[in-house]
Amino acid sequence: MTLLPALRRASMLAFLFLGTSAVQASVAFHVTVISERVNKPGVKTSLPARDTQDSDVVLGPHYLSVRDGQHLSVLDFAARRRYVIDMAASTYDTYSLFDVAGFRRIESEHRKGLAGALKAGGLQDHVTPPVYEEQALSVPATRRRGALLPQMLDGAVLWSLDGQPLLRLGIAGSPVSGDDATAFAQYLRYTWGGHPLVLKMLADGKRIPAQFTLHYQEVGSTVARHFRIGAMTAGAPAAYTLAAYRPRPLAAGASPLERVLAQAATLPPLDPQAHPALRAEAEKLFAAEQPFDAFLIMLEDHFSTGALVEKLTPKQQLAMQQCQPIHDLTRGLLAKDQEGIAAALATVQELRTQTGLEQPVLALFEGNLRAKLGQWQAATALYLQVLQARPHMAAVYQDLGDALLAQFDAPNAWRSWDAGRAMAPTLRQFRKVNDLEARLLSDYPAFFADGTAGQPSTSRPASSTKTEGSTNLP
């Protein structure tokens, strides 16, 4: 295959991605993927035995885009953002690039647990070999594996690992730069998967193959995906713009979660007078001999502004020390075992009944206790209740994100974390997600490789959301 002088089928992207100073051209091509599924005897599934998907792909120096019908996905590795564009509606959603690697990590662990359950149940034949879990998720296992082994076929090479075929690679292809080959591997990683060793081999090969097949095994099925690359050109734009699109407006029937996260993305900064105002309210409650209510207000202040509970007078300190509800609450929140957590939940519920169910800090604590008990949906509902009433309570976005990630909703988890960090970036509650992102960068650097040099970008992480309309993004 040779590079064509015109963009052909991908020509529409030239109008969508007009950069301001595009001096470095990118590679564009059309790809047809035919998926063939063979089910084991007795396995029933709604998935078709054969399916075809056509896409137009642009591999830019800092980004890649995949157009599938009226939907266009753009991954920006320099900004660590991704966008899903509805071309028909001229709208887009914005996402964090971290949520893909984050989801793949927890999904990998989930599949290991599923394999263990199948083995324990005597269903060893239904266990997917670990090498195929790596192929599906592009996430390496902790155990180091051997090298890919080639087998010559007619006009192709079959590459296998641990005796399992992974890639049938045709001989024909187009030579490209190392950066473009790395970007091509990124396209596969984010859309169709591919074993890390397979993707590294393709990136190091400095060519884009004309035809190849990726092999997968799933629970009860084997899948072969046949790729055909055509309409290839080096004349695609080197940059993109979202100028022709607007952020997707909130739908009339949007869920409470979508409403809270959409509102958080457009909130003005917290008023500088918020801390003095909340502390003044706490002082009034102390003067009225209501130390528990004053304590809750100071906690709300901390969760919103990061201000510490300090500068208490000796009288205020004594009032808090003698306040039994404060002792009951703090003791319950420190519970570790399930019995203690259940007892603490009952305590918080009783305090909410006495104080008022709308009290935001107690609602937050009930959500945290339910989360410790694995009651993720109930915890999520409580966090949303708090944020509907107190949208600037930044720390709650951390807890909401944790609950969403536990329910495998990584895109919205990062939306929530990003919203909270934008409000109060130094709040200690966000150290956990900052550490998680650092681990993802360290453990899965290939997911963040910049197209210009095959190295991770050093830019600050951005945003996230759900992935309807993307090619195959989780």
Side-chain angles (χ1 to χ4, degrees):
M1 185 192 304
T2 58
L3 294 178
L4 300 178
L7 190 57
R8 290 189 182 174
R9 291 184 64 104
S11 61
M12 190 172 195
L13 294 179
F15 299 98
L16 297 174
F17 295 92
L18 295 177
T20 57
S21 58
V23 295
Q24 180 181 351
S26 306
V27 172
F29 56 86
H30 180 79
V31 58
T32 298
V33 183
I34 300 174
S35 299
E36 295 180 334
R37 180 180 302 273
V38 178
N39 297 324
K40 293 181 180 179
V43 173
K44 295 182 179 179
T45 177
S46 60
L47 297 172
R50 183 183 175 90
D51 179 64
T52 301
Q53 183 169 322
D54 288 280
S55 303
D56 291 308
V57 180
V58 175
L59 307 178
H62 297 281
Y63 78 94
L64 68 85
S65 70
V66 183
R67 181 190 170 202
D68 177 14
Q70 290 297 308
H71 291 96
L72 185 67
S73 297
V74 182
L75 307 184
D76 186 328
F77 296 99
R80 293 191 188 139
R81 285 185 182 270
R82 58 193 182 91
Y83 303 94
V84 171
I85 299 170
D86 184 335
M87 296 168 61
S90 297
T91 61
Y92 68 88
D93 287 305
T94 182
Y95 302 69
S96 170
L97 209 59
F98 279 98
D99 67 47
V100 179
F103 173 83
R104 301 276 181 95
R105 176 194 283 270
I106 63 171
E107 177 63 12
S108 176
E109 294 302 316
H110 171 69
R111 293 188 183 192
K112 288 178 185 177
L114 178 60
L118 290 172
K119 290 178 182 178
L123 299 173
Q124 176 68 41
D125 292 343
H126 290 278
V127 175
T128 301
V131 68
Y132 283 115
E133 300 293 20
E134 296 173 293
Q135 175 89 328
L137 300 173
S138 301
V139 171
T142 53
R143 180 172 71 85
R144 182 180 295 277
R145 300 189 179 279
L148 291 169
L149 298 179
Q151 177 185 353
M152 298 304 297
L153 303 174
D154 292 337
V157 180
L158 181 65
W159 293 91
S160 300
L161 184 64
D162 293 351
Q164 305 289 350
L166 294 178
L167 170 69
R168 180 186 173 112
L169 184 61
I171 295 175
S174 299
V176 295
S177 70
D179 294 338
D180 288 334
T182 296
F184 178 73
Q186 281 289 49
Y187 153 69
L188 291 176
R189 177 176 286 108
Y190 275 89
T191 55
W192 299 104
H195 193 281
L197 293 180
V198 167
L199 297 177
K200 184 179 186 304
M201 182 180 68
L202 291 172
D204 292 343
K206 295 186 179 181
R207 74 185 185 103
I208 294 179
Q211 293 187 22
F212 62 97
T213 298
L214 290 174
H215 296 276
Y216 308 79
Q217 282 189 26
E218 302 171 354
V219 176
S221 305
T222 61
V223 180
R225 292 198 169 97
H226 309 284
F227 294 75
R228 292 201 306 266
I229 308 294
M232 194 167 170
T233 179
Y240 72 91
T241 176
L242 298 173
Y245 308 101
R246 70 187 193 283
R248 181 174 58 87
L250 192 65
S255 67
L257 172 62
E258 185 61 30
R259 290 185 178 279
V260 163
L261 296 182
Q263 175 182 255
T266 59
L267 278 178
L270 189 64
D271 191 321
Q273 294 303 310
H275 167 58
L278 287 168
R279 189 54 191 261
E281 184 176 349
E283 293 294 333
K284 291 179 182 178
L285 290 167
F286 273 122
E289 298 185 351
Q290 296 176 270
F292 184 58
D293 294 311
F295 176 62
L296 295 177
I297 287 295
M298 288 188 291
L299 288 177
E300 181 181 343
D301 184 13
H302 171 66
F303 294 145
S304 302
T305 69
L308 299 177
V309 179
E310 56 185 1
K311 297 181 179 179
L312 298 174
T313 68
K315 182 178 180 181
Q316 290 170 344
Q317 293 179 34
L318 180 62
M320 291 180 63
Q321 292 169 2
Q322 295 176 343
C323 181
Q324 189 61 43
I326 292 179
H327 288 292
D328 294 341
L329 177 62
T330 53
R331 183 173 57 252
L333 294 175
L334 294 174
K336 302 295 183 182
D337 60 279
Q338 295 292 292
E339 182 178 354
I341 295 169
L345 176 60
T347 297
V348 171
Q349 289 174 323
E350 176 62 26
L351 290 172
R352 290 189 69 199
T353 300
Q354 297 171 6
T355 309
L357 295 178
E358 71 281 356
Q359 213 295 321
V361 173
L362 291 178
L364 168 62
F365 287 157
E366 180 176 343
N368 289 345
L369 291 167
R370 289 189 179 277
K372 289 182 179 181
L373 294 171
Q375 300 173 11
W376 297 111
Q377 291 184 348
T380 299
L382 285 161
Y383 297 144
L384 292 175
Q385 174 188 323
V386 173
L387 291 172
Q388 285 170 327
R390 299 288 196 279
H392 276 109
M393 234 168 121
V396 185
Y397 292 97
Q398 171 67 48
D399 297 318
L400 175 60
D402 290 349
L404 293 169
L405 190 63
Q407 297 170 81
F408 295 88
D409 188 353
N412 279 327
W414 256 272
R415 284 180 75 190
S416 186
W417 291 331
D418 286 344
R421 285 185 291 184
M423 295 177 193
T426 61
L427 204 63
R428 63 177 180 81
Q429 280 83 351
F430 294 116
R431 293 175 186 171
K432 183 165 58 173
V433 67
N434 293 336
D435 290 344
L436 171 59
E437 290 179 345
R439 289 196 304 273
L440 291 174
L441 285 168
S442 175
D443 295 345
Y444 310 129
F447 276 87
F448 307 96
D450 190 297
T452 57
Q455 297 296 324
S457 165
T458 57
S459 63
R460 181 70 175 87
S463 140
S464 54
T465 191
K466 295 197 84 169
T467 54
E468 280 107 69
S470 62
T471 303
N472 238 6
L473 301 175

